[in-house]
Amino acid sequence: MSETGYRETLRGEVIAKAGTLIEMEGLAALQARRIAREAGCAVGTLYNLFGDIDGLVVAVNAETLALLGASIGSAGVVLGTLSLEERLARLAMAYVDFALAHQRRWEAVFEHRLPEGRDAPASYLEDQDRLLGVIEAAIADFVPDANGQRGITARALFGAVHGIVALALDNRLGGRSLTELEQQVRLIVRLAAIGITRDNAVA
Amino acid sequence: MSETGYRETLRGEVIAKAGTLIEMEGLAALQARRIAREAGCAVGTLYNLFGDIDGLVVAVNAETLALLGASIGSAGVVLGTLSLEERLARLAMAYVDFALAHQRRWEAVFEHRLPEGRDAPASYLEDQDRLLGVIEAAIADFVPDANGQRGITARALFGAVHGIVALALDNRLGGRSLTELEQQVRLIVRLAAIGITRDNAVA
DNA sequence: ACCGCACATGAACTTCGTTCACTACGCAAT
DNA sequence: ATTGCGTAGTGAACGAAGTTCATGTGCGGT
């Protein structure tokens, strides 16, 4: 099971090269010939390993999602007895920090669209669920789970923070927008925390 | 100034064709030869009119943004004396409705990335400001404008709703996720409204 | 009628992703 | 050791896409 044959080694190297390429020049720089050249293999080998370019992108994105999951996860385990607002703020800022630290890599996850019929690998959904699980755990003390309310709330919170970050990065983060991003995230988190606290008569 | 020469007519027709093409098959279907064929002109003409394919996409997206602006705008003028939550809900649902009604067109706005150096046309920013203006007007009675708080709040609210909608559409809106989308949007709006109302001691 | 300019044209060029006939290599059987 | 076989690497060739540009053409002015 832990045998790492030549194939697995090569596969890992290609994913790594592709990852740094995305990190430095964005998703558009991921070209078959270029990867092949930089990874020291033939174009055809990429297709043996990943099926097509989308497969390679998916592999890189899966890695990125795993990294994000690790970041959010470790932010989630230290929430201890903090207030709801503080818990949400920690998680949200972990997300912001990750997005800023791996800007292009992170953009690639949402920028990439796989062709019509194909759907994302199971690991995507698993990572998504793991993320939502962390959020659900963080709000468990404050939101009842009737009718799946807690899940809905977790998704809404994630989407809200995600949207703010996505729009901010889209404007390419010129100058003051970086501090504005942080202000917006802190604001939405505070409002949501207040709203949740004062609204236990959930519709 | 209002003379519509052949060029302007053709330009409009091409944008219209491109718009319906995006609407029906998504951004990837926007191919130079295909547009040329369906619009009844030569490939080169497209380049005379729009510079390149990105220019055409930008033209279509500008139109889409204008449509969105009109939708949100007309939702904004009837907010009258409604509660804050109701105001935000109307605006947010107008946004959701637009995104669902023009799904692929709307996706194209955020899916499209213009190449490295180029930046979006002024009309993008104007439409963005107009949208934020509507939101700011809607919350003006409830949020003071000190330190640009109102602007920050408007942006945060827009981003929050946008993020929820974007993620929901990304999962391709299978079955129940449509009602979940609505639930999430209503929830975040309610939480924010409660938060704003009970938090006039803004940090 | 002539000229000249501005623009439409589409074949050709470039750059991609992708394929596939061929090769190289390892391993098992003889 | 030799042979045979199958798996996987190779890169030239192909097709599809964006883009260019030499050429044609129509129209307004003289």
Side-chain angles (χ1 to χ4, degrees):
Chain A
M1 187 63 170
S2 62
E3 273 289 358
T4 60
Y6 171 64
R7 246 195 114 114
E8 283 70 29
T9 305
L10 180 58
R11 196 182 146 90
E13 281 172 19
V14 171
I15 294 180
K17 287 278 183 193
T20 59
L21 229 173
I22 286 182
E23 190 100 55
M24 310 228 294
E25 304 185 34
L27 189 57
L30 249 245
Q31 297 157 358
R33 288 167 229 274
R34 188 160 173 196
I35 298 287
R37 178 158 35 85
E38 302 202 1
C41 70
V43 206
T45 303
L46 296 180
Y47 285 81
N48 287 336
L49 289 172
F50 301 99
D52 56 11
I53 290 291
D54 288 314
L56 173 55
V57 176
V58 164
V60 175
N61 284 351
E63 195 184 60
T64 304
L65 282 178
L67 287 174
L68 174 65
S71 281
I72 304 290
S74 56
V77 295
V78 296
L79 298 180
T81 58
L82 296 172
S83 70
L84 175 59
E85 177 179 342
E86 193 59 32
R87 292 184 187 190
L88 295 181
R90 300 266 175 115
L91 292 180
M93 291 317 287
Y95 187 66
V96 170
D97 290 344
F98 182 89
L100 291 177
H102 308 283
Q103 197 162 328
R104 317 195 85 140
R105 236 187 139 95
W106 179 84
E107 275 181 297
V109 174
F110 297 95
E111 186 177 340
H112 179 64
R113 305 266 179 243
L114 30 157
E116 203 66 23
R118 260 159 80 191
D119 36 27
S123 79
Y124 271 36
L125 297 181
E126 290 168 19
D127 283 317
Q128 193 173 322
D129 286 345
R130 191 164 17 255
L131 276 182
L132 288 174
V134 174
I135 302 178
E136 287 184 33
I139 64 177
D141 295 344
F142 304 88
V143 179
D145 200 12
N147 300 342
Q149 264 302 317
R150 194 181 293 159
I152 298 279
T153 306
R155 273 176 202 277
L157 290 172
F158 179 78
V161 173
H162 168 72
I164 292 172
V165 176
L167 289 184
L169 285 199
D170 225 43
N171 289 353
R172 291 291 123 70
L173 288 186
R176 80 173 190 293
S177 56
L178 220 153
T179 70
E180 277 193 9
L181 163 59
E182 190 165 331
Q183 281 184 280
Q184 290 177 43
V185 170
R186 289 203 180 278
L187 176 61
I188 206 72
V189 157
R190 180 151 47 83
L191 295 181
I194 297 175
I196 290 175
T197 305
R198 318 263 169 121
D199 178 59
N200 281 338
V202 200
Chain B
M1 187 61 170
S2 63
E3 273 289 0
T4 60
Y6 171 64
R7 251 194 109 115
E8 282 71 29
T9 305
L10 180 59
R11 197 183 145 90
E13 282 173 18
V14 171
I15 294 180
K17 286 277 182 194
T20 60
L21 229 174
I22 287 182
E23 190 99 54
M24 311 228 293
E25 305 185 32
L27 190 55
L30 250 243
Q31 297 159 357
R33 288 167 231 272
R34 189 162 173 195
I35 297 287
R37 177 158 37 83
E38 302 203 2
C41 70
V43 210
T45 304
L46 296 179
Y47 285 81
N48 288 335
L49 289 173
F50 301 98
D52 56 12
I53 289 291
D54 288 315
L56 173 55
V57 176
V58 164
V60 174
N61 284 351
E63 196 185 60
T64 304
L65 282 178
L67 286 175
L68 175 66
S71 282
I72 304 289
S74 55
V77 295
V78 296
L79 297 181
T81 58
L82 297 172
S83 70
L84 175 59
E85 178 180 340
E86 193 59 33
R87 292 184 186 191
L88 295 181
R90 300 266 174 117
L91 292 179
M93 290 318 287
Y95 186 66
V96 170
D97 291 343
F98 183 88
L100 291 177
H102 308 283
Q103 196 162 330
R104 318 193 86 140
R105 233 188 142 95
W106 179 83
E107 274 181 298
V109 174
F110 297 95
E111 186 177 340
H112 179 65
R113 304 266 180 243
L114 31 155
E116 203 65 26
R118 262 159 77 191
D119 37 26
S123 78
Y124 271 36
L125 296 182
E126 290 168 19
D127 284 316
Q128 193 174 322
D129 286 347
R130 191 164 16 255
L131 276 182
L132 288 174
V134 174
I135 302 178
E136 287 184 33
I139 64 177
D141 295 344
F142 305 88
V143 179
D145 200 12
N147 300 342
Q149 264 301 317
R150 195 180 293 159
I152 297 278
T153 307
R155 273 177 201 276
L157 290 172
F158 179 78
V161 173
H162 169 71
I164 291 172
V165 177
L167 289 183
L169 286 198
D170 224 43
N171 289 353
R172 290 291 121 72
L173 288 186
R176 80 174 191 290
S177 55
L178 219 154
T179 70
E180 278 194 8
L181 163 59
E182 191 166 329
Q183 280 184 281
Q184 288 177 43
V185 170
R186 289 202 180 278
L187 175 62
I188 205 73
V189 157
R190 180 150 48 83
L191 295 182
I194 296 175
I196 290 175
T197 305
R198 319 261 170 124
D199 180 59
N200 282 336
V202 202

